[in-house]
Amino acid sequence: MNLIERNKELMKNFEIMINTADETLAEDLVASDAPFYTPASPKPLYGGKGYLSVVHWMRKGFSDVQWHIKDMVADENKVAVEWELTGTHDGDFLGKPPTGRKISVCVMNFYYFNKEGKVTNDVAAEGMIGILRGIGIIE
């Protein structure tokens, strides 16, 4: 299997990991020194557990949140993924009380891999705008 095929397979497993919050899979897929950021934490969170803390943060506002790969493009050290994020706003999110609104948002992320095939960075496009529109924080 070449690196491009490997990276696409890794992202399919990554999709399973974020939708199940599987800690073992997170440790297998994410480099331990990879930093991740969330509006809920002023400091970066590291590794698989750090990445899952972002997932758990989202689940506080959308308990049924799911990410589904719609499309991806890969090269030897990165993958661009178009995600469809769905969920129901049934918990507090960024200070907005639950609205019960269902959201479906297109989110773009770029994932970078080290030589061992672990995610070292996740650069997100402005998907948060779609989420905030979906729950009525902004028009």
Side-chain angles (χ1 to χ4, degrees):
M1 175 182 307
N2 68 36
L3 289 175
I4 293 171
E5 291 169 350
R6 179 203 72 180
N7 291 344
K8 285 183 174 184
E9 281 301 309
L10 289 169
M11 288 315 301
K12 289 176 186 175
N13 288 328
F14 196 88
E15 178 182 26
I16 293 167
M17 183 265 297
I18 59 177
N19 286 322
T20 62
D22 184 315
E23 288 187 21
T24 302
L25 199 50
E27 294 301 317
D28 289 344
L29 294 171
V30 179
S32 62
D33 61 346
F36 300 102
Y37 300 88
T38 173
S41 174
K43 296 181 180 179
L45 306 164
Y46 291 92
K49 287 184 182 183
Y51 197 92
L52 286 181
S53 68
V54 177
V55 171
H56 294 305
W57 173 74
M58 284 293 300
R59 287 182 195 267
K60 287 180 183 177
F62 305 87
S63 64
D64 60 348
V65 69
Q66 291 286 289
W67 292 264
H68 302 285
I69 295 172
K70 291 185 70 173
D71 197 8
M72 73 174 121
V73 177
D75 70 14
E76 288 81 12
N77 68 353
K78 67 181 166 288
V79 177
V81 177
E82 176 188 6
W83 295 102
E84 178 183 20
L85 180 148
T86 60
T88 306
H89 182 217
D90 56 4
D92 184 75
F93 189 73
L94 294 175
K96 175 79 170 178
T99 62
R101 290 172 135 176
K102 295 196 178 295
I103 62 166
S104 178
V105 180
C106 175
V107 182
M108 292 291 302
N109 291 68
F110 294 86
Y111 299 89
Y112 295 83
F113 297 88
N114 62 19
K115 292 178 184 175
E116 291 77 36
K118 292 191 175 209
V119 172
T120 60
N121 196 8
D122 171 0
V123 178
E126 291 298 320
M128 186 61 70
I129 297 298
I131 295 168
L132 297 177
R133 281 189 183 123
I135 63 174
I137 289 179
I138 62 172
E139 293 297 317

